[in-house]
Amino acid sequence: MRTLAARLTTYYCRRNPVRNSQPRNFSTYNGRDELSLEQDAERKIGWLLKLIFAGTATCIAYNIMPYMGDNLLQQSVSLLTVKDPLFKRMGASRLAQFAIDDERRMKIVEMGGAQELVNMLVDAKDDRTRKEALKALSALSPSDQAIGALHQAGAISVIRSTPDSLESAEIEKYKSGLLKRFQDLRYDVPSTNVSRSSDS
């Protein structure tokens, strides 16, 4: 921004040279006068450009912010329904970041996110997609009501049937954490499966 201000100042000073009403005595003329005028103009143009930038950023943020709430959440849930695994992973990742408190977790459940995450885990063909689905389910699991919704969506059998991964230890961590959470809340998870998952 400083470079742009310097160029604008140089261009402006060349087109409109500074004219003083008093003639200069060449013996007292110093290049510092012109340099200080250029620096002053450069500083003013720099502030003008910063104000324009800040105003533009504020205007854009004001117009975008309404889309950051429920609409973004709904878009993230909708991404889970597309066939492309990349978009599914993006949607699950957004939901995992959004699920930071019980109110937001229940909002995801109400919008159908819990069921779609279970469906995503069922349809997942690769470890990266499974990992993102399990990560999002783990982000929902601290809420007792969300765990109940996951239980109704059939998450326990789907999580148990998720294949083990030799490459991603995170999949095993998310699986055992979720199954332990279901067991802690007295849902029908046999303890042998939980201990077997945590041992591996």
Side-chain angles (χ1 to χ4, degrees):
M1 191 169 285
R2 183 179 286 253
T3 309
L4 181 60
R7 287 183 184 169
L8 285 172
T9 304
T10 305
Y11 174 76
Y12 180 75
C13 288
R14 284 186 186 156
R15 286 195 55 147
N16 301 321
V18 178
R19 294 183 181 89
N20 290 337
S21 56
Q22 300 173 352
R24 286 191 179 269
N25 184 350
F26 286 108
S27 61
T28 61
Y29 174 70
N30 195 341
R32 284 182 275 163
D33 293 340
E34 188 175 326
L35 185 62
S36 66
L37 284 172
E38 272 190 40
Q39 287 175 343
D40 188 40
E42 183 179 316
R43 191 170 42 248
K44 288 178 182 174
I45 290 174
W47 276 107
L48 177 67
L49 290 174
K50 287 177 185 175
L51 286 172
I52 290 171
F53 176 75
T56 304
T58 303
C59 182
I60 289 171
Y62 180 77
N63 288 322
I64 288 178
M65 286 310 274
Y67 299 107
M68 298 296 280
D70 291 346
N71 288 345
L72 183 63
L73 186 57
Q74 187 61 50
Q75 288 171 0
S76 301
V77 172
S78 298
L79 284 174
L80 301 177
T81 62
V82 299
K83 292 188 177 185
D84 188 355
L86 173 66
F87 290 114
K88 288 186 177 203
R89 288 194 297 268
M90 286 170 50
S93 176
R94 282 185 188 176
L95 292 178
Q97 291 173 355
F98 193 78
I100 57 174
D101 58 31
D102 284 352
E103 181 182 343
R104 291 182 181 188
R105 291 180 187 112
M106 285 314 297
K107 193 94 166 160
I108 292 170
V109 169
E110 289 165 8
M111 290 186 168
Q115 182 65 56
E116 291 303 331
L117 284 168
V118 172
N119 294 343
M120 174 184 170
L121 190 56
V122 169
D123 298 335
K125 304 282 189 250
D126 60 285
D127 285 346
R128 288 187 301 168
T129 307
R130 287 186 198 102
K131 184 182 88 168
E132 287 301 328
L134 287 167
K135 181 179 176 183
L137 289 170
S138 293
L140 292 177
S141 69
S143 167
D144 293 350
Q145 292 175 323
I147 279 286
L150 290 173
H151 174 67
Q152 290 176 347
I156 296 174
S157 59
V158 172
I159 292 168
R160 267 195 263 151
S161 65
T162 302
D164 295 338
S165 171
L166 299 173
E167 295 154 6
S168 180
E170 288 179 283
I171 289 178
E172 299 304 316
K173 180 182 84 169
Y174 292 135
K175 273 179 65 173
S176 62
L178 283 164
L179 292 173
K180 184 173 183 335
R181 180 80 171 117
F182 281 116
Q183 185 183 19
D184 290 345
L185 293 176
R186 307 274 186 231
Y187 288 106
D188 58 344
V189 180
S191 58
T192 55
N193 286 334
V194 175
S195 60
R196 194 182 316 140
S197 295
S198 46
D199 289 342
S200 54

